[in-house]
Amino acid sequence: ANELLFFFDDGNFYNWTLSANDTFSESSGARPFAYNLSVYIAMKLINQSVEFGDLSLGENVDTSGCNLGTGSSTPCPIVIENIGNAEYFINLTGPENHFWSNATYPHPIEHFSFRIENGSEGQAYKTSADSIVTYTALPDNGTNLTIVDNFNHTDSNDTFRLDINITVPEIEPVGNKNISLLLTGWYVGP
């Protein structure tokens, strides 16, 4: 069966007409029915957190070495799947809280950075200036940054990884560190 690709959100609709026949005659005068398909934007966090473990001052760790199939070479990145019915963009909003206590905020690229990369299924996004594929510093508090251009929705190519790279500042108090990242999907149309 062919996939339905045109959305009511873009002013499109489908007409469906049913007619019947047997070996003697065919029905006539069937009225078409309109079918509207709306955009459904939904993402699933397959891996929703990153555990870096105990680190020393000045130590660097990043998630790019993790094999998603086996989970070997931890820590592993955040993995996101498009479970909607359309391609869409994804924004990352700069977090309210600091990850490090003794690094300027927003944290410079050498202390906390991220990038996207394809998951284990293949090309999940459009390669463009809007897809952040090299390590980049987090945006400032409340600032939106588009990180994924046209996140694919077909089952064979619908996951990407959000790799994170951190370096502990040379002067940082001991303790647990955490940060929450807000990802927002938005549809722009054809």
Side-chain angles (χ1 to χ4, degrees), residues 22-176:
D22 57 25
T23 56
F24 302 106
S25 65
E26 187 171 319
S27 64
S28 63
R31 294 185 194 170
F33 294 92
Y35 175 76
N36 297 330
L37 178 64
S38 293
V39 170
Y40 175 58
I41 294 177
M43 60 183 105
K44 175 182 175 184
L45 294 173
I46 295 171
N47 183 22
Q48 59 187 346
S49 64
V50 177
E51 299 290 333
F52 289 107
D54 295 333
L55 302 175
S56 301
L57 296 176
E59 186 174 353
N60 174 265
V61 144
D62 108 36
T63 61
S64 65
C66 176
N67 179 320
L68 294 180
T70 64
S72 65
S73 186
T74 58
C76 287
I78 296 168
V79 179
I80 300 156
E81 179 182 13
N82 182 347
I83 59 172
N85 67 355
E87 291 184 355
Y88 55 88
F89 287 69
I90 296 180
N91 280 355
L92 185 146
T93 303
E96 293 179 13
N97 59 323
H98 302 229
F99 188 73
W100 302 115
S101 301
N102 287 333
T104 59
Y105 186 78
H107 298 315
I109 194 168
E110 62 269 13
H111 290 297
F112 195 113
S113 58
F114 73 94
R115 72 172 183 192
I116 65 165
E117 191 174 290
N118 286 305
S120 55
E121 298 179 320
Q123 190 68 31
Y125 51 85
K126 182 178 177 183
T127 303
S128 76
D130 288 329
S131 292
I132 306 294
V133 296
T134 57
Y135 281 110
T136 303
L138 285 174
D140 202 358
N141 175 17
T143 302
N144 289 319
L145 176 65
T146 299
I147 65 167
V148 178
D149 181 350
N150 287 313
F151 186 16
N152 198 332
H153 72 287
T154 55
D155 284 339
S156 60
N157 295 317
D158 65 349
T159 62
F160 75 89
R161 55 191 288 158
L162 182 64
D163 281 314
I164 297 175
N165 181 336
I166 63 170
T167 300
V168 181
E170 290 296 333
I171 302 172
E172 180 70 19
V174 174
N176 292 329

